[in-house]
Amino acid sequence: MGTLIKGGKVVSAAATTVADVLIEGETIARVAPAIDEAGHAVVDAKGMFVLPGGIDVHTHLDMPFGGTVSADDYEWGTRAAAIGGTTTVIDFALQSMGHPMMEAFKTWRAKAEGKACIDYALHMAVTDLGPNDVWLDDVDAMVAEGISSFKIFMAYPNVLMVNDATIFKLMQRTAKLGALVCVHAENGTVIDVVVQQALAAGNTGPLYHALTRPVLAEAEAVHRVVAISEMADRARVYIVHVSCEESMREVAAARAHGLPVMGETCTQYLVLSLEDNMGKPGFEDAKVVFTPPLREKKNQAPLWQALKDNVLQVVSTDHCPFRFADQKTLGLGNFTKIPNGGPGIENRMQLAYHHGVNAGRISLERFVEVTAEAPAKIFGMNPRKGIVAAGSDADLVLWDPQAKYTITAATQSMHTDYSIFEDFEVKGNARQVFSRGESVVEGGRFIGAVGRGRYLHREVAKR
Ligand code: URP
Ligand code: ZN
Ligand code: ZN
């Protein structure tokens, strides 16, 4: 006996079709116009879209950062993800300077063990190639463990930032392997000077986090890393959290030049702005201190257009939550001490759907592509994830396009005492969510077992 999802509209990047979906065990057995109900448990999906479970490729769960640890661990972060219609996350394991990558891999697997509520994978954030670059070989070892993407930071000097030589060497290795390098692109050393000048001038409030990180510092880093990747045998590159038109144009230029350069933006840059969401009295702006910072509103339309035109391929969240009361306040009197990051894993699908599809900025099919199908393909999980097709994991979302929902911290599952999208009204929400065939979310509540999520072994690209 299987579970038959009957009469919904199945959506992929290519088309929307009325079809039944038969789940047997953990996978999709059939997708066809009219599957016989006999012997199956039937789920009526009339009026619903049947979407592939969302994939959020940029999260920071249980991550030590800014003198504290991000507020959602694997249990709470993945529970919130599932409630919002996301059934896979790719989180970051952070290599500690002076330590091999394998240590970070084991540490992050242990963080997820017994806690992850949905399937998860890991990127390896590389901070140190070791004495005589001995840990470059760790890159191969990580690929063997199913880590097909690496992350480098061009910002956060003395914490996570790596220099151009490290980037170049890493990319020479990933180019050979077909692995991907994800890049936090910002000129960290220039920003540091601007930051010190602001503090010296007495500008210590949270707004100055945004004002000391110019868009050109982001665009310059994108330009530089693209050039480095071209020199490094045209290594595959993915620019994370593109926040402004200037950086997006660098990605567009690289792609027009035929380079394997891809990019994402995040929900916060698509719907929030410097004008609308900063400049509040007191310390309130600390709630939206993340990096890159909120940009001027004029950037939103070009980012949406870039998603539509496939200049950018993915919408992620960069979910890195910190509570306001006892974590963000570490930066009272000095904005550089505010832990950088914001909560969003729960709201990605709602916001991308409402402000994308309902607003006519992207099609329903493109919504599915940027939230599930393209992430699976880019990050080596296709066809197991990201698509409603026979043989794929039965990660499915019954999406109710008529459901109205008001985002508020009072009802969210994320463990922050505020929402950066407080009072945002959306139409379109997950009604039921399946993860590997199991109904894990019904009526906005997670009903699966904690710890049921599995580690995903990902593939590198064929070169
Ligand atoms: O502010 C942010 N984005 N915090 C998480 C670390 C990063 O840069 O992605
Ligand atoms: Zn970043
Ligand atoms: Zn991040």
Side-chain angles (χ1 to χ4, degrees):
M1 172 170 152
T3 302
L4 183 61
I5 299 176
K6 193 109 192 103
K9 288 183 182 156
V10 176
V11 190
S12 73
T16 301
T17 334
V18 177
D20 298 346
V21 179
L22 179 63
I23 301 171
E24 281 177 358
E26 297 192 346
T27 54
I28 297 170
R30 273 180 78 198
V31 182
I35 300 176
D36 189 358
E37 294 182 11
H40 302 306
V42 176
V43 177
D44 180 8
K46 264 188 229 77
M48 301 290 129
F49 294 130
V50 182
L51 312 179
I55 302 177
D56 191 344
V57 301
H58 189 157
T59 68
H60 301 277
L61 304 175
D62 199 359
M63 185 177 84
F65 196 51
T68 182
V69 178
S70 60
D72 280 328
D73 66 4
Y74 270 79
E75 177 181 344
W76 286 97
T78 57
R79 177 193 295 257
I83 289 170
T86 289
T87 52
T88 303
V89 296
I90 313 184
D91 202 59
F92 293 93
L94 292 192
Q95 181 200 15
S96 300
M97 285 190 190
H99 296 259
M101 295 178 205
M102 186 57 84
E103 192 177 301
F105 177 67
K106 287 183 181 155
T107 302
W108 256 264
R109 289 291 303 274
K111 285 173 190 278
E113 188 61 36
K115 288 193 171 181
C117 297
I118 52 170
D119 292 348
Y120 72 98
L122 293 168
H123 314 274
M124 177 57 60
V126 177
T127 57
D128 190 356
L129 294 181
N132 302 316
D133 300 333
V134 65
W135 293 329
L136 259 183
D137 289 341
D138 282 21
V139 174
D140 302 57
M142 290 299 103
V143 168
E145 295 285 358
I147 293 194
S148 60
S149 49
F150 296 80
K151 168 85 174 282
I152 48 134
F153 291 89
M154 300 171 83
Y156 309 127
N158 306 316
V159 185
L160 295 169
M161 191 174 109
V162 290
N163 62 25
D164 293 351
T166 297
I167 298 172
F168 183 62
K169 289 180 209 169
L170 174 69
M171 286 185 169
Q172 283 183 316
R173 185 61 67 102
T174 58
K176 271 203 190 94
L177 297 167
L180 184 65
V181 176
C182 304
V183 183
H184 175 133
E186 273 189 313
N187 186 319
T189 48
V190 166
I191 287 171
D192 216 26
V193 174
V194 184
V195 163
Q196 294 314 322
Q197 289 170 349
L199 290 175
N203 296 323
T204 58
L207 179 62
Y208 284 90
H209 172 80
L211 301 184
T212 52
R213 306 186 88 91
V215 289
L216 281 182
E218 186 180 323
E220 182 277 330
V222 177
H223 186 87
R224 181 162 31 109
V225 83
V226 165
I228 293 171
S229 74
E230 188 171 3
M231 290 185 275
D233 309 316
R234 300 165 70 93
R236 295 175 72 228
V237 176
Y238 177 90
I239 309 294
V240 303
H241 49 43
V242 173
S243 71
C244 57
E245 180 171 5
E246 286 81 351
S247 304
M248 178 274 285
R249 296 221 171 279
E250 294 291 344
V251 175
R255 291 174 65 79
H257 190 48
L259 293 170
V261 174
M262 292 153 281
E264 68 176 24
T265 188
C266 308
T267 31
Q268 54 272 32
Y269 305 115
L270 291 167
V271 305
L272 306 180
S273 67
L274 199 55
E275 296 95 316
D276 290 347
N277 306 93
M278 293 199 87
K280 301 215 170 84
F283 194 61
E284 199 64 10
D285 284 346
K287 291 178 178 171
V288 285
V289 164
F290 36 73
T291 305
L294 284 180
R295 303 301 193 186
E296 288 177 69
K297 205 174 170 68
K298 67 180 183 192
N299 290 282
Q300 290 174 354
L303 290 177
W304 279 111
Q305 191 64 38
L307 279 173
K308 184 173 178 188
D309 296 344
N310 201 35
V311 169
L312 300 176
Q313 292 72 38
V314 175
V315 174
S316 73
T317 59
D318 193 7
H319 177 75
C320 188
F322 297 103
R323 292 175 301 276
F324 183 70
D326 62 322
Q327 294 188 296
K328 289 286 185 181
T329 45
L330 293 169
L332 270 168
N334 182 343
F335 69 86
T336 67
K337 304 262 190 280
I338 302 170
N340 286 197
I345 202 166
E346 195 168 338
N347 308 122
R348 181 181 69 117
M349 304 284 279
Q350 298 159 345
L351 290 165
Y353 182 84
H354 184 77
H355 291 274
V357 181
N358 288 347
R361 294 179 172 113
I362 54 173
S363 67
L364 175 64
E365 292 77 16
R366 185 65 181 157
F367 161 73
V368 163
E369 191 163 23
V370 297
T371 55
E373 196 166 319
K377 286 182 175 157
I378 292 169
F379 288 93
M381 297 182 286
N382 168 266
R384 183 164 168 198
K385 303 287 189 190
I387 186 154
V388 183
S392 297
D393 280 0
D395 289 1
L396 300 165
V397 181
L398 299 197
W399 188 262
D400 182 350
Q402 302 303 329
K404 290 189 176 162
Y405 182 71
T406 303
I407 298 173
T408 169
T411 56
Q412 73 186 6
S413 291
M414 299 179 290
H415 266 184
T416 47
D417 47 0
Y418 70 97
S419 167
I420 59 177
F421 308 112
E422 186 69 27
D423 288 337
F424 267 60
E425 290 178 4
V426 290
K427 190 169 159 204
N429 205 357
R431 192 178 82 171
Q432 187 172 2
V433 179
F434 293 84
S435 166
R436 273 183 288 100
E438 185 184 339
S439 179
V440 292
V441 174
E442 290 178 19
R445 277 192 335 111
F446 182 76
I447 55 169
V450 173
R452 58 171 299 287
R454 288 193 201 136
Y455 173 71
L456 286 165
H457 193 288
R458 295 182 292 123
E459 304 297 327
V460 291
K462 288 187 187 66
R463 291 234 102 194

